[in-house]
Amino acid sequence: MTTTVGILGGGQLARMLALSGAPLGLRFLAMDTEPDACAGQFAPLLVGDYRDERALAEFAAAVDVATFDFENVPAESAHWLAERVPVFPNPHALSVAQDRLVEKTLFRNLGIPVGAFAAVDSRAQLDAEVARIGGACILKTRRLGYDGKGQFRIRSEADLDAAWQALGGQAQTVGLIVEAFIPFERELSVVAVRGRDGEFRAWPLTENWHVDGVLSASLAPTRTDAALAEQAFGYARALAGKLDYVGVFALELFCRDGQLLANELAPRVHNSGHWTIEGAETSQFQNHLRAVLGLPLGATHMRGHACMLNWIGALPDGGAVLREAGGHWHDYGKSPRQGRKVGHATLRADSPEALARALRSVGAALGRESQVAPVLDALSGIRAG
Ligand code: AMP
């Protein structure tokens, strides 16, 4: 009997889930509000609103298990669905990850270090909390923010008016949180998977670079001492256990003075894990499907060294990537639009030197020297170390 996996959200993550599930003989049904959602090029697409019970009922009737490509599915819809079909990750885990305040409070309760933060309900509270935290801060929406959207950097008191003007209107709707700005040296992520039986596996720690709040490049493995990596994996394991999480997730971390601080939990396959498609024994997409279906998890060790470059807005010419021995091209089949993730490339090599060579050549051919520069810097650190 064929198994159909339902995916709420029909973007590139759903598309890559469907592609990785094909060898397992799986069928898919993606649900999205947009009729041109790019997963629809590979899987049947149900177009509907996540709050529409009729559409949700049609989705539930057609699938054996449901999961997400998008974390902002309304919690009530996830709960409604979970009464009719197994849903992984569970709706509680989803709702924790949907709210930055709840999520950061959980980190703190689990002993996972976080920067200072506070809820903000009013302008007076914003002023008071920024004064209490001291130094630069970031005001963020508690819910529905992603890729740096719904954020305002407060460098000094002079920015408070502008910050409130930008986001104050959302204080009573999605809620606001103010956080200390962390002058981090590096951004890292743990991409990990937990099975239905509680088995936990993580891919090697990934280093990430963002531009304007959007991921630009990821590198794995990265320079980290083993103790720091173990600490990061320990945090991810504790979090997943506490939430009874099933599936793949990412824990985003800042590293400052050799210390880790948690930023956020993404309750789904994650952009910083795209390199696992070619760079790891089992990809995050395949392991997510194995987890939600209760199948044995695949090994997460690396095949050499991998770097992922994100294509934002429009795709460059793929030739330079395809010419590399370890070059892999991913076109999400989306129309170009400013700020939109339209594809990525992964370069894989057996040594840091070979990866650096490939990156230099792709960077130069595409005029993307500034995108690859921080990765080359990190790779030279790995070679020296
Ligand atoms: P987020 O949506 O919280 O993942 O934020 C997107 C990006 O903005 C992060 O990956 C960081 O590069 C930056 N950022 C977010 N919060 C902070 C913070 N508290 N301190 C410094 N940078 C931050």
Side-chain angles (χ1 to χ4, degrees):
M1 207 188 71
T2 50
T3 301
T4 301
V5 177
I7 309 174
L8 291 168
Q12 68 269 19
L13 302 179
R15 178 182 170 112
M16 288 185 271
L17 281 167
L19 288 169
S20 81
L24 295 175
L26 300 173
R27 302 288 173 92
F28 292 86
L29 175 65
M31 178 170 172
D32 202 286
T33 53
E34 302 298 325
D36 65 345
C38 71
Q41 296 162 19
F42 288 95
L45 184 70
L46 177 66
V47 180
D49 191 285
Y50 303 118
R51 291 181 200 276
D52 174 357
E53 271 188 20
R54 263 214 316 226
L56 277 181
E58 188 183 337
F59 177 81
V63 306
D64 299 295
V65 61
T67 188
F68 307 90
D69 116 311
F70 171 67
E71 67 260 51
N72 290 319
V73 170
E76 318 81 74
S77 306
H79 280 287
W80 189 91
L81 207 56
E83 284 166 16
R84 288 151 181 89
V85 61
V87 174
F88 299 111
N90 67 70
H92 170 67
L94 188 76
S95 67
V96 168
Q98 281 176 347
D99 186 327
R100 293 182 190 275
L101 184 68
V102 175
E103 174 181 270
K104 286 213 154 65
T105 306
L106 175 65
F107 293 160
R108 197 153 64 186
N109 292 343
L110 288 172
I112 301 172
V114 278
F117 65 90
V120 168
D121 293 330
S122 65
R123 172 65 205 266
Q125 208 175 6
L126 174 65
D127 292 6
E129 293 299 349
V130 168
R132 183 185 65 83
I133 292 171
C137 291
I138 300 193
L139 181 64
K140 299 181 179 177
T141 55
R142 277 173 59 173
R143 300 159 56 79
L144 300 180
Y146 66 98
D147 284 347
K149 294 183 180 67
Q151 304 195 2
F152 198 98
R153 180 123 173 236
I154 301 171
R155 292 181 169 79
S156 73
E157 271 181 28
D159 294 330
L160 286 168
D161 281 340
W164 190 252
Q165 198 151 27
L167 297 177
Q170 296 181 67
Q172 305 309 323
T173 53
V174 292
L176 299 176
I177 179 174
V178 66
E179 303 175 3
F181 179 81
I182 312 296
F184 55 81
E185 287 120 31
R186 307 162 66 205
E187 287 197 87
L188 303 170
S189 58
V190 180
V191 180
V193 59
R194 185 170 177 275
R196 283 201 197 182
D197 59 358
E199 183 182 1
F200 174 89
R201 294 187 181 196
W203 283 268
L205 212 52
T206 300
E207 182 159 1
N208 302 305
W209 292 270
H210 292 79
V211 174
D212 298 329
V214 183
L215 187 66
S216 168
S218 294
L219 173 71
T222 188
R223 311 152 285 171
T224 30
D225 62 80
L228 196 80
E230 279 315 309
Q231 211 171 37
F233 296 145
Y235 297 154
R237 185 195 294 268
L239 203 50
K242 177 72 186 174
L243 294 170
D244 193 19
Y245 193 95
V246 172
V248 166
F249 65 98
L251 176 62
E252 298 178 16
L253 301 157
F254 298 132
C255 184
R256 190 189 175 202
D257 298 332
Q259 305 276 324
L260 297 173
L261 292 173
N263 177 35
E264 71 172 346
L265 164 70
R268 51 173 167 76
V269 286
H270 193 249
N271 199 167
S272 72
H274 288 1
W275 64 263
T276 61
I277 297 175
E278 296 89 5
E281 184 64 35
T282 313
S283 78
Q284 62 165 348
F285 299 100
Q286 164 106 182
N287 257 349
H288 182 70
L289 294 170
R290 293 192 193 199
V292 305
L293 293 167
L295 298 171
L297 301 180
T300 50
H301 60 254
M302 292 206 64
R303 294 166 166 162
H305 297 256
C307 171
M308 191 267 337
L309 299 172
N310 251 359
W311 308 134
I312 312 288
L315 288 173
D317 172 26
V321 171
L322 295 171
R323 267 192 292 279
E324 292 298 325
H328 303 277
W329 187 252
H330 295 261
D331 174 343
Y332 303 154
K334 292 174 162 182
S335 44
R337 191 199 299 155
Q338 208 200 345
R340 194 177 208 196
K341 291 177 176 171
V342 290
H344 76 266
T346 295
L347 297 172
R348 201 211 62 79
D350 292 329
S351 68
E353 291 78 9
L355 182 58
R357 266 196 306 277
L359 264 176
R360 233 178 260 117
S361 117
V362 167
L366 299 181
R368 300 274 183 151
E369 289 87 350
S370 61
Q371 188 175 6
V372 304
V375 189
L376 288 170
D377 240 26
L379 278 169
S380 64
I382 293 175
R383 275 146 51 190

